[in-house]
Amino acid sequence: MKQTITLLILVFCSVTAWGQSVLKYNLNTGDTFTVKQSAEQIITQELEGAAHVLTNSLDGVLEFIVKGEYDGNFRVAMQFKDLNLMMTSSIQGELMNVRAKEVSEDDMQSKIFNSLLEQPVEMVISPTGDILEVVGGDSLVSRMANSSGLEDDFSKKMMKKSLEKEFGSEALSNSYEQMTFIYDSQEVAVSDTWENTYNGKLSAKNTWTLNSLEDEHIVISGKASITMNVEDPGTAMKLNGEQNTEITANRKNGFIELMTVVSEASGISKMTQLGDQEIPTTITSTITYELIE
């Protein structure tokens, strides 16, 4: 009887261990991943019974090339291969329409965003996807500001400050952790959950669930409480909400194959010209990352 119980315990432990796995990035030098990013953000502001709706649309192509390992982490070069931006207002119509590959000498914005293309920045990414460091974002910002055609130093410095909020090293780290930081350092089995957080303009406290573990694919879903804190010249926003993420990743290397992030947040915004008046504001967004090569 004792031998039977011992055998059952061994079998049970073996089955339990087999059903668990450490999910992580397993990247090799020279690995190249090309990702198509699409995003739509709708900002609705209510003021004295009237609504103003801003719609921001973005699509672009990102390339990630693994340069090597560093102290157990991965050095990855990331660059924009294409980027298109459109902003429309329900009151003012089209505010911005930039296609980075189409440069017009009379269009400052097209020159700025064209200078962003094919300029790699280097990231240090942990096996869980935490972006530990970004090198090159500040040089990227300087290149964009210099391409604007502005000649006086004061205007260039003001432009750099504005661009740093989106394309500086810290901003890029915070932005792309949404795409990469999805794993836990502990073993997990199907239906297990784990948590992590990332910060920036958008801060999120995530709870992830492993939905399925197949030979070639990992399927993960995430729910998060989010906070949006935006401080731009003339505008400030403070919003809270929820975010839902669906992910299919490659089991062998851990890199995402398809990710969809849907969020909604509401709160208040303020505009300098309106003093301390609080404007009820809601932002909904859908972002998709898809591996195309």
Side-chain angles (χ1 to χ4, degrees):
M1 176 63 75
K2 184 180 293 185
Q3 289 178 335
T4 303
I5 292 172
T6 302
L7 181 60
L8 287 172
I9 290 171
L10 288 172
V11 170
F12 177 77
C13 289
S14 297
V15 170
T16 302
W18 182 83
Q20 292 182 321
S21 181
V22 175
L23 307 181
K24 63 179 181 178
Y25 290 94
N26 293 293
L27 306 177
N28 297 308
T29 301
D31 285 351
T32 301
F33 306 95
T34 305
V35 176
K36 181 179 179 182
Q37 178 184 0
S38 302
E40 183 178 72
Q41 181 188 66
I42 300 174
I43 304 171
T44 304
Q45 296 177 307
E46 302 280 348
L47 184 61
E48 296 178 354
H52 180 207
V53 180
L54 279 171
T55 302
N56 298 319
S57 299
L58 174 150
D59 67 84
V61 176
L62 304 164
E63 183 180 74
F64 298 85
I65 302 175
V66 181
K67 294 298 185 179
E69 287 193 46
Y70 172 76
D71 198 23
N73 303 307
F74 302 101
R75 293 187 296 109
V76 179
M78 186 275 284
Q79 62 183 334
F80 291 89
K81 305 295 285 184
D82 196 8
L83 185 65
N84 305 306
L85 299 165
M86 179 178 284
M87 179 186 296
T88 59
S89 162
S90 60
I91 297 173
Q92 299 164 284
E94 187 177 287
L95 302 176
M96 177 189 291
N97 189 356
V98 176
R99 306 184 72 82
K101 286 186 174 181
E102 300 174 7
V103 184
S104 170
E105 287 303 317
D106 299 326
D107 186 347
M108 179 188 297
Q109 291 174 338
S110 74
K111 290 189 289 185
I112 290 171
F113 285 103
N114 177 262
S115 71
L116 181 69
L117 302 181
E118 309 289 349
Q119 299 299 313
V121 295
E122 192 164 284
M123 301 178 172
V124 178
I125 303 176
S126 77
T128 63
D130 189 5
I131 298 178
L132 306 174
E133 184 182 7
V134 174
V135 178
D138 297 333
S139 297
L140 188 64
V141 166
S142 294
R143 178 184 172 87
M144 294 172 76
N146 290 335
S147 70
S148 67
L150 294 173
E151 296 182 358
D152 66 286
D153 289 339
F154 181 79
S155 297
K156 280 187 180 179
K157 286 179 180 178
M158 292 297 291
M159 177 167 284
K160 282 182 181 180
K161 282 192 172 184
S162 177
L163 291 170
E164 278 172 0
K165 295 179 180 180
E166 301 296 335
F167 299 102
S169 292
E170 184 178 355
L172 289 172
S173 174
N174 294 335
S175 176
Y176 286 100
E177 273 194 330
Q178 181 184 68
M179 191 190 88
T180 63
F181 194 16
I182 56 178
Y183 296 126
D184 189 45
S185 58
Q186 305 299 314
E187 287 188 343
V188 293
V190 173
S191 299
D192 281 354
T193 63
W194 63 96
E195 295 183 351
N196 64 23
T197 61
Y198 55 79
N199 298 302
K201 277 189 176 182
L202 173 69
S203 298
K205 182 177 180 181
N206 301 282
T207 299
W208 302 101
T209 302
L210 177 60
N211 295 328
S212 69
L213 193 62
E214 304 168 3
D215 289 341
E216 297 183 358
H217 304 290
I218 304 163
V219 179
I220 296 170
S221 61
K223 292 185 178 294
S225 298
I226 60 173
T227 301
M228 299 181 72
N229 254 321
V230 180
E231 295 284 346
D232 287 328
T235 306
M237 291 185 185
K238 184 171 287 188
L239 313 173
N240 295 289
E242 302 294 329
Q243 179 171 279
N244 293 293
T245 304
E246 299 292 335
I247 300 167
T248 300
N250 183 286
R251 183 170 181 179
K252 181 180 179 181
N253 58 42
F255 204 88
I256 63 116
E257 295 176 344
L258 181 64
M259 172 185 279
T260 303
V261 185
V262 179
S263 66
E264 180 170 344
S266 58
I268 59 99
S269 58
K270 294 182 179 180
M271 297 182 181
T272 302
Q273 64 265 37
L274 297 178
D276 292 329
Q277 185 170 1
E278 296 183 347
I279 305 168
T281 302
T282 299
I283 297 181
T284 60
S285 69
T286 300
I287 305 173
T288 300
Y289 302 97
E290 181 179 5
L291 188 67
I292 57 175
E293 289 184 18

